[in-house]
Amino acid sequence: RTATLGFLNTLSVVVIFLGALPLLGWDIGEKECIFLVASVGLSTDYAVQLLRSYRHTRGKTSRHGRVRGALFERGISVVSSGATALLAGLIGSACFFYHIYQHGVFVAILASSS
């Protein structure tokens, strides 16, 4: 069950990124393909951290208790990482260099959708 949730999370992040490409006016080139591959890895990382903690929470038998345990154990790290990535993406998206701008927008989309 948790593997299915992780897969659906990763799939939704990839679909959001692919849907954002035409809205941003980007064609699928080398950079965008690299961004797409990176989005799979980064979104999987966020999901796996929380799902692993949920699965291995000890002493909690109810779903509510396992969610609380997972969020208590790993939640602050995942949220801090996501907030830092979002801030970095917003700063990068304000850059005048197109490559850094694209990378910043990609990181901001990924952090906000993961």
Side-chain angles (χ1 to χ4, degrees):
R1 185 178 290 171
T2 55
T4 304
L5 289 175
F7 173 75
L8 291 175
N9 177 60
T10 302
L11 182 65
S12 67
V13 170
V14 170
V15 167
I16 288 170
F17 179 68
L18 284 174
L21 285 177
L23 295 175
L24 295 168
W26 296 355
D27 294 327
I28 296 185
E30 295 92 10
K31 287 184 285 192
E32 291 79 14
C33 288
I34 292 170
F35 292 158
L36 184 61
V37 170
S39 70
V40 171
L42 293 173
S43 64
T44 301
D45 182 48
Y46 289 141
V48 166
Q49 292 293 326
L50 288 175
L51 290 174
R52 183 200 170 281
S53 183
Y54 174 82
R55 184 91 170 151
H56 295 288
T57 300
R58 294 196 173 123
K60 312 279 190 202
T61 56
S62 69
R63 183 180 298 171
H64 180 70
R66 292 172 90 180
V67 168
R68 286 182 56 116
L71 291 176
F72 180 75
E73 183 181 332
R74 302 275 175 148
I76 190 69
S77 300
V78 172
V79 170
S80 297
S81 173
T84 303
L86 180 62
L87 181 62
L90 292 175
I91 290 171
S93 66
C95 187
F96 295 111
F97 295 113
Y98 189 68
H99 176 72
I100 297 174
Y101 162 76
Q102 273 189 313
H103 190 264
V105 169
F106 159 71
V107 169
I109 289 172
L110 181 68
S112 63
S113 64
S114 289

